[in-house]
Amino acid sequence: MTVYRYRLIPKSSIATPLRSDTLCGHLLCAARELDGDTVLGEILERFRADEPPFVLSSAFPSGYLPMPILPSLMRNDTRELVKALPQFKGSLFHLLEELKKFRKNKWVPVTSWQSLSTNLSFKALFLDCLQGKAGSQNKQKGNENNTKIVPEIHNSINRNTGRVLEGGLYTTETTFYGQGNYLDLYAETDEADSLERYLSHVAATGFGKDRALGKGFFKWERDDTFAPGDLFGRGDHSMNLSVFSAKDLSSVSGTYEVFTKYGKVWNGFGENNPFKRPFLAFREGSVFTSYPLQGSSLTDIHSNPSIIHCTVPLMIRFNMTGAA
């Protein structure tokens, strides 16, 4: 399948994170609204058979990828860097200060990834950050300053009674994008026309919660300058660009971060119970030397057996320094 890159242009605030599994669910709902139950059923069967018509990444700030989760610097590395880099003037304290700041970076520039992906390491990324501090890293900070995340308070719902849970306050975040802030979405498919038709429907009707309040609207355009071979090459390691899980995770090996995913069902299906069963998933940026190639369309996720949750990963490959 061919990998495409799409630019998403927010036209309103967005209350639900633009992550791969939620985006996939919205596209499936669009298929049902536009083409009916029969077409949706055929698409779902392809996901269950591990032959999905499309695989999505999450959406990232334009020009950036998630920071890969890699083994950190060893003591010997820090001592060598203190001696080798003149800006630290032999001070381990100053190096550790910069290292602490670097660990907070959520994103790596696509240009840096392309130049380092044949020999990638935490050390190489750190050095690249130091060298590009006056350029791409400052641009990243500027984009972050032009984006505001506003917390909102909500009541928790008791899943057994459907009532408000006493003392169950929690917060969610709504993101407001400044002018000129775009997002990159990667999609692997041989059916780009259908995918783009469904994406247009989601863009026009709104993504995520509070669409009735004007949130979740965007425009999109295909990046025809994108050459997949420049980014999606070969390597002995894989970095995840999606929310990824599978029925059997026993073969997973790598450096990764997991979280508990609480999915919901679209109310257009007429379900009285909107909640899916929680499951463990890998965050974007997780790095694998091995992972399951099947079973990422989760079944038995809801009381309705026809409902699935799509966590098929879009991986980007690279070679890591010192890998066996």
Side-chain angles (χ1 to χ4, degrees):
M1 293 196 290
T2 303
V3 179
Y4 299 89
R5 182 164 66 192
Y6 297 97
R7 169 177 282 185
L8 307 186
I9 307 166
K11 307 306 291 184
S12 69
S13 61
I14 297 178
T16 300
L18 285 153
R19 305 184 82 174
S20 59
D21 59 329
T22 311
L23 279 163
C24 183
H26 277 64
L27 294 181
L28 294 178
C29 293
R32 196 241 189 175
E33 288 188 298
L34 295 176
D35 298 330
D37 290 330
T38 300
V39 171
L40 174 62
E42 293 171 353
I43 295 175
L44 292 179
E45 283 304 313
R46 294 173 67 179
F47 273 97
R48 292 190 184 97
D50 296 310
E51 298 177 354
F54 54 82
V55 180
L56 303 177
S57 75
S58 297
F60 311 121
S62 184
Y64 291 88
L65 294 173
M67 180 66 70
I69 300 171
L70 296 171
S72 188
L73 291 177
M74 305 295 288
R75 284 188 178 181
N76 289 339
D77 292 325
T78 57
R79 290 168 182 163
E80 290 176 4
L81 289 176
V82 166
K83 295 177 181 178
L85 299 177
Q87 63 262 48
F88 297 123
K89 300 178 180 179
S91 171
L92 181 61
F93 176 77
H94 290 153
L95 183 144
L96 293 177
E97 274 191 325
E98 289 297 330
L99 191 59
K100 183 178 180 180
K101 295 176 184 177
F102 173 72
R103 286 198 179 103
K104 294 180 180 179
N105 287 344
K106 298 178 181 179
W107 315 107
V108 57
V110 170
T111 51
S112 295
W113 178 275
Q114 290 172 324
S115 64
L116 298 172
S117 61
T118 56
N119 201 22
L120 190 68
S121 67
F122 185 94
K123 181 179 178 180
L125 286 169
F126 179 50
L127 289 173
D128 180 78
C129 176
L130 292 176
Q131 294 168 0
K133 199 169 181 183
S136 61
Q137 295 298 323
N138 283 347
K139 179 182 177 183
Q140 177 183 344
K141 296 296 183 182
N143 287 342
E144 289 177 353
N145 292 337
N146 201 25
T147 299
K148 293 185 179 179
I149 299 177
V150 178
E152 297 178 344
I153 299 177
H154 305 270
N155 285 310
S156 297
I157 303 298
N158 187 311
R159 294 194 176 197
N160 294 320
T161 65
R163 297 177 180 273
V164 173
L165 187 65
E166 184 176 354
L169 290 176
Y170 69 97
T171 61
T172 61
E173 296 178 339
T174 295
T175 303
F176 293 81
Y177 294 91
Q179 186 175 5
N181 278 24
Y182 309 123
L183 300 168
D184 286 342
L185 171 68
Y186 297 89
E188 186 177 32
T189 183
D190 283 334
E191 304 170 22
D193 290 343
S194 295
L195 172 68
E196 292 172 2
R197 180 166 165 260
Y198 298 150
L199 184 62
S200 294
H201 183 75
V202 174
T205 57
F207 171 85
K209 63 184 179 181
D210 293 340
R211 287 176 289 173
L213 301 179
K215 298 179 182 180
F217 291 86
F218 61 91
K219 292 184 178 180
W220 67 269
E221 57 188 35
R222 187 196 291 185
D223 182 0
D224 291 324
T225 66
F226 175 62
D230 293 342
L231 198 57
F232 289 79
R234 297 181 179 181
D236 49 28
H237 287 65
S238 300
M239 184 178 76
N240 179 32
L241 301 182
S242 314
V243 173
F244 167 45
S245 188
K247 298 173 185 176
D248 182 4
L249 298 175
S250 60
S251 65
V252 168
S253 176
T255 50
Y256 47 78
E257 184 178 345
V258 297
F259 70 103
T260 304
K261 177 71 180 188
Y262 298 92
K264 292 185 179 180
V265 178
W266 177 50
N267 57 13
F269 288 118
E271 291 293 336
N272 293 324
N273 174 19
F275 301 108
K276 295 180 180 178
R277 297 184 180 94
F279 61 90
L280 286 180
F282 298 96
R283 292 190 185 277
E284 302 87 339
S286 293
V287 172
F288 303 98
T289 53
S290 66
Y291 60 92
L293 300 177
Q294 297 179 329
S296 290
S297 297
L298 304 180
T299 57
D300 299 324
I301 198 74
H302 189 266
S303 55
N304 182 341
S306 65
I307 291 174
I308 67 173
H309 195 101
C310 301
T311 61
V312 184
L314 183 60
M315 296 283 186
I316 186 170
R317 300 187 67 84
F318 67 95
N319 290 311
M320 190 159 76
T321 303

